[in-house]
Amino acid sequence: MNKLVVGLGEILWDMLPEGKRLGGAPANFAYHVAQAGLDSCVVSAVGKDRAGDEILQMLESKKLTFQISRVPYPTGSVGVELGPRGIPCYQICEQVAWDYIPFTAELEALASHTTAVCFGSLAQRHAVSRDTINRFLEAMPEGEGIYKIFDMNLRQNFYTTEILQHSLHKCNILKLNDEELLIVKRLFGYSPLDTQETCRALISDYGLKILILTCGTEGSHIYTSTEESFYPTPRVEVRDTVGAGDSFTAAFCAALLQGDSLSTAHRKAVGTSAYVCTCDGAMPDLKPDVKSRE
């Protein structure tokens, strides 16, 4: 089976201080998977408006494959303000196109050929896209080497304990950051546990193959039921961190699918996300040495 990787969920314009840029975690993920040399596809929805036209044009210019529905809601946008050290703060519009991603026959066919998918909690804030995400996951093949990656990506108040737990039951790889882990500990009753114990409890309670924990400048951890990998975060001159986590997940997923060990995949993910932090926006062209770095 060809290794097809899908980013499923929100696509939007990041309204940065210096102008708008294409964004949305699933689109960022699919872009960086393609940069790593695998076939990828962006699945989302845009409005029947100029902003939607521009998103499709941008995807075509980046040579990305996509299944983007046109729906009668405005194309999504997010106000992004950069705080200290380039860390973004988001203001996310509601009742937008990516809240209404339809599940179509074409999407079901795509799911049946998908090797790995990355989805989050944000696109599940509305019942329509939440149902589409769940039906896509159910239509995917089963078995070894099939990855269903839940990048928790908690934003504002757009999540519930029920949605998070349901997604954890549906995925086999969980990716979250240290701030999200604190929220999970509180919501799931893991508060007395330390970081490693909480990660181990999540792996055990939800039958996860892999748990990815990123901790900003403090490094990143990757856990399985039998292994643990840690890498420090490289010291770089940060322009902004928009999309850095998405590039980490994409590089890690691509490396696993290309046969790398857990540790090598982790190292590639760290190098890719560090480079993205030195660039403006979430979708920079990766230099050849970054793509090949091990």
Side-chain angles (χ1 to χ4, degrees):
M1 184 173 65
N2 293 332
K3 292 184 170 110
L4 173 64
V5 184
V6 170
L8 170 58
E10 64 273 14
I11 194 166
L12 46 87
W13 287 111
D14 279 330
M15 309 304 288
L16 291 153
E18 65 272 19
K20 67 181 183 182
R21 286 199 176 88
L22 182 63
N28 296 339
F29 170 83
Y31 172 79
H32 286 289
V33 167
Q35 291 266 289
L38 292 179
D39 292 334
S40 71
C41 183
V42 184
V43 174
S44 190
V46 297
K48 300 174 181 179
D49 50 23
R50 181 175 178 180
D53 294 340
E54 291 174 341
I55 281 182
L56 299 185
Q57 291 165 8
M58 182 65 72
L59 291 172
E60 288 173 351
S61 73
K62 291 183 176 294
K63 297 181 172 57
L64 276 170
T65 301
F66 55 87
Q67 282 197 21
I68 305 289
S69 298
R70 306 299 294 265
V71 296
Y73 296 89
T75 297
S77 64
V78 173
V80 184
E81 295 182 4
L82 298 179
R85 296 174 290 148
I87 297 173
C89 176
Y90 302 99
Q91 292 297 321
I92 304 170
C93 297
E94 299 186 58
Q95 292 296 310
V96 292
W98 55 259
D99 285 316
Y100 296 91
I101 305 168
F103 190 76
T104 62
E106 293 78 13
L107 196 54
E108 185 173 19
L110 180 73
S112 71
H113 293 93
T114 295
T115 307
V117 64
C118 186
F119 67 100
S121 62
L122 182 56
Q124 297 187 69
R125 67 182 183 177
H126 192 280
V128 173
S129 290
R130 183 165 65 248
D131 178 67
T132 293
I133 289 170
N134 282 305
R135 291 176 71 180
F136 189 98
L137 294 170
E138 290 168 3
M140 284 178 62
E142 298 291 342
E144 193 65 29
I146 301 296
Y147 298 122
K148 300 177 181 181
I149 306 164
F150 178 38
D151 185 350
M152 199 166 274
N153 206 22
L154 304 182
R155 293 285 183 261
Q156 295 173 209
N157 62 337
F158 299 128
Y159 59 88
T160 66
T161 303
E162 181 182 13
I163 287 173
L164 298 184
Q165 290 180 328
H166 182 78
S167 297
L168 282 165
H169 282 297
K170 290 289 186 179
C171 75
N172 55 22
I173 297 179
L174 169 64
K175 188 260 182 182
L176 72 173
N177 62 35
D178 49 350
E179 293 180 356
E180 291 164 342
L181 186 67
L182 293 176
I183 295 171
V184 167
K185 287 178 69 171
R186 175 175 55 82
L187 292 178
F188 293 9
Y190 293 143
S191 296
L193 304 181
D194 66 20
T195 295
Q196 185 180 66
E197 290 171 334
T198 303
C199 292
R200 295 291 183 197
L202 285 165
I203 288 172
S204 176
D205 291 349
Y206 296 97
L208 303 175
K209 290 183 177 180
I210 298 171
L211 186 149
I212 303 166
L213 175 65
T214 58
C215 302
T217 59
E218 302 304 312
S220 55
H221 304 260
I222 297 182
Y223 299 93
T224 72
S225 60
T226 58
E227 295 180 77
E228 179 181 353
S229 175
F230 171 80
Y231 276 97
T233 300
R235 302 302 175 188
V236 297
E237 185 174 341
V238 175
R239 295 292 294 272
D240 71 56
T241 63
V242 178
D246 306 324
S247 70
F248 185 109
T249 312
F252 179 78
C253 174
L256 282 187
L257 291 174
Q258 290 165 335
D260 287 330
S261 67
L262 188 81
S263 178
T264 299
H266 189 180
R267 184 165 63 250
K268 288 183 176 180
V270 168
T272 299
S273 61
Y275 176 77
V276 170
C277 287
T278 68
C279 304
D280 290 322
M283 297 186 184
D285 290 333
L286 297 185
K287 294 179 179 178
D289 66 317
V290 176
K291 293 182 184 181
S292 62
R293 188 176 299 156
E294 295 190 3

